[in-house]
Amino acid sequence: MNMPPNDKSWKISYKLIMEKFYVSCPLGQEKTVWQEIKLKLADFVCAEPNFTPGGIELEMPLAEGLVLNHKLKTSNRILLRLKAQKCKDAPKLFNIIAKFPWKNYLKRPEVKWHITAKESRLFNSSKIEKACQDGLTKYFNANQLPAKLLERKDEFHIQNIFIRLEKDDLTLSIDTTGDLAHIRGNDSFRGHASLRSTLASIMIMHTLLDESQPVHIFDPMCGTGTLLKEIRDFYKVNIREFAYQDWHAPLSVEDPDQKLPYLSLWGQDLDQAVIKHQGDEAGILFTQGDAFEPPLHTPSTPLMIICNPPYGKRIKIHEDRKDFYRRLLEKLTFHYRPKLIALLIPEEVELSVKSKKIRIFNGGIWCQLHLINLSN
Ligand SMILES: C[S@@+](CC[C@H](N)C(=O)[O-])C[C@H]1O[C@@H](n2cnc3c(N)ncnc32)[C@H](O)[C@@H]1O
């Protein structure tokens, strides 16, 4: 942990009990998620974390770690480590689970087990799950939940419990998030090729965070408008329900008075139906139109274009993909004169223009976010 500065406020927070969390991240984007944590918990100093492929291990006081659910836009889920212990066989695992004080976390006896085993003597997932489930049943036989609670059990989450066995080391964790974090809770309409909101926020962090001058933003193939909504809501707290709310008192999290450096948000799509579905989204203009055609009115400047075009899989492209993206870039550059185009496309398709590239795993395929600087 970083040494605390010599002031009183730090002395108070320094005495707090630290808990271990694991922040699950889109693959390859662990440093971006860490950047978001530092940005949004600006007044909290915690030790440099440990990065693993797809996650960040860090230590924080309990409430700080749980609050990440409300503040982060780029992470998938946040696990709280409950126990770490040597465990070589199924009887030992059964005993560990049977003795753990589950009533502190579970308001109903059912759980969903998530099991991973690596170089462990215990490797058969069904045997591991049976040992865990038998241990939990034994625990609840000895520590019954009150009948009044059981009557209301459908009001509570089926908690996700993560069992990780690596060599002879067991790590037991509870998922504090519940439904994966890309489900924001206010997105009832998702198109069939919608971008995950977590990946949209990752794109946005790479594109907009370092922008010194506010810009107008245009998404010419916006679909359900995920990119624009994520730009608008980047600093807003997530108010959907999280799994930890079953076992922890409500946390008060206020919207910070902060916004990304944008002047306006405009989305366009060829598909009239998808645009109609957007209705009146606060702060975003949606219009129907073809990205290859000239705009109906002069675009505002300075303009940044951010775009997640079709890949030719779920939405067909009737020409070679390389030609399609090249033509798209030419038309957008000519008609809109943007200072930057950010384009997320499959990495196997090469672009002939110079760009800064960021690898993003999207919908099962590796893509590149191309940042094409046109300001010169
Ligand atoms: C991959 S989807 C974009 C998804 C969007 N980012 C979201 O999260 O909903 C690509 C979109 O491009 C639109 N599209 C395809 N050709 C277009 C064109 N020529 N002009 C404008 N939009 C187009 C499709 O209708 C589709 O909504």
Side-chain angles (χ1 to χ4, degrees):
M1 151 158 271
N2 292 351
M3 282 311 290
N6 195 15
D7 79 5
K8 205 169 158 212
S9 61
W10 238 106
K11 280 182 190 151
I12 293 165
S13 55
Y14 195 59
K15 279 186 196 153
L16 288 171
I17 297 166
M18 302 300 257
E19 301 283 352
K20 288 195 166 83
F21 289 92
Y22 180 79
V23 182
S24 157
C25 314
L27 201 57
Q29 292 301 322
E30 302 80 13
K31 294 273 161 68
T32 317
V33 177
W34 176 234
Q35 192 189 359
E36 191 192 8
I37 294 173
K38 287 192 290 182
L39 182 74
K40 294 193 174 170
L41 294 187
D43 51 355
F44 181 76
V45 185
C46 80
E48 271 301 306
N50 183 27
F51 293 100
T52 66
I56 312 173
E57 291 171 332
L58 41 87
E59 289 191 20
M60 292 186 150
L62 182 61
E64 294 280 351
L66 297 178
V67 156
L68 291 179
N69 281 303
H70 298 272
K71 294 197 169 181
L72 296 187
K73 303 291 178 174
T74 56
S75 60
N76 293 331
R77 65 163 105 233
I78 296 161
L79 306 186
L80 169 67
R81 300 289 195 218
L82 298 177
K83 202 168 187 51
Q85 182 171 342
K86 290 278 174 212
C87 178
K88 295 183 189 170
D89 51 43
K92 176 83 183 170
L93 180 59
F94 168 85
N95 273 325
I96 294 171
I97 299 294
K99 285 185 186 149
F100 187 80
W102 290 106
K103 274 170 117 177
N104 294 346
Y105 300 95
L106 304 183
K107 296 286 175 283
R108 57 187 295 174
E110 303 87 358
V111 301
K112 184 168 185 333
W113 301 103
H114 297 254
I115 291 159
T116 48
K118 200 173 145 197
E119 295 173 46
S120 156
R121 279 179 244 204
L122 263 172
F123 56 86
N124 181 318
S125 303
S126 25
K127 269 195 185 154
I128 297 171
E129 178 162 344
K130 183 168 179 342
C132 292
Q133 190 50 54
D134 289 351
L136 188 67
T137 306
K138 183 175 177 200
Y139 173 83
F140 275 122
N141 284 341
N143 304 275
Q144 296 209 349
L145 289 166
K148 281 204 166 147
L149 207 57
L150 288 173
E151 275 166 27
R152 295 172 41 219
K153 72 172 194 165
D154 290 341
E155 292 171 30
F156 301 106
H157 297 86
I158 294 178
Q159 298 284 342
N160 293 311
I161 306 297
F162 283 71
I163 301 286
R164 181 178 165 79
L165 286 150
E166 188 164 355
K167 298 193 175 125
D168 289 335
D169 295 317
L170 162 74
T171 320
L172 176 65
S173 311
I174 187 165
D175 170 22
T176 70
T177 307
D179 287 339
L180 280 170
H182 72 265
I183 298 166
R184 300 290 193 224
N186 54 357
D187 38 12
S188 53
F189 173 64
R190 306 290 295 153
H192 57 291
S194 292
L195 185 64
R196 277 195 172 192
S197 29
T198 36
L199 294 183
S201 271
I202 295 257
M203 273 178 79
I204 290 158
M205 283 194 65
H206 288 293
T207 309
L208 203 54
L209 213 54
D210 292 335
E211 197 56 36
S212 52
Q213 185 194 19
V215 283
H216 296 274
I217 312 267
F218 174 49
D219 180 349
M221 295 181 160
C222 68
T224 52
T226 316
L227 282 160
L228 302 169
K229 291 174 194 167
E230 288 294 303
I231 293 173
R232 180 193 61 189
D233 298 342
F234 186 73
Y235 285 104
K236 283 206 185 119
V237 300
N238 302 317
I239 49 164
R240 57 155 258 207
E241 214 178 87
F242 294 102
Y244 82 81
Q245 287 162 326
D246 277 6
W247 51 265
H248 192 279
L251 296 165
S252 93
V253 196
E254 281 173 21
D255 270 329
D257 185 19
Q258 225 171 336
K259 106 186 217 301
L260 285 170
Y262 72 87
L263 297 165
S264 66
L265 300 171
W266 172 26
Q268 184 174 276
D269 202 282
L270 195 58
D271 186 341
Q272 176 76 56
V274 99
I275 291 298
K276 226 171 156 188
H277 249 289
Q278 299 311 316
D280 286 332
E281 269 290 338
I284 307 176
L285 171 71
F286 285 103
T287 57
Q288 191 270 334
D290 187 336
F292 292 86
E293 295 298 321
L296 291 177
H297 49 81
T298 318
S300 310
T301 56
L303 183 73
M304 194 179 270
I305 292 182
I306 190 160
C307 183
N308 162 225
Y311 297 169
K313 291 198 170 148
R314 281 179 283 183
I315 297 176
K316 297 283 168 239
I317 297 176
H318 303 287
E319 64 184 284
D320 181 74
R321 283 190 298 181
K322 194 173 172 184
D323 291 339
F324 180 82
Y325 299 137
R326 181 189 44 77
R327 252 185 350 105
L328 177 66
L329 283 177
E330 276 172 17
K331 294 288 179 191
L332 290 174
T333 308
F334 181 73
H335 290 141
Y336 293 87
R337 305 271 168 217
K339 60 178 281 190
L340 184 127
I341 300 181
L343 192 72
L344 183 71
I345 59 168
E347 79 171 347
E348 72 238 27
V349 186
E350 279 185 27
L351 285 184
S352 43
V353 292
K354 210 173 127 198
S355 66
K356 180 179 167 194
K357 300 183 194 73
I358 295 123
R359 258 187 126 208
I360 293 181
F361 194 62
N362 175 25
I365 52 171
W366 278 105
C367 295
Q368 295 278 11
L369 170 63
H370 292 265
L371 299 179
I372 303 152
N373 190 339
L374 301 161
S375 56
N376 304 324

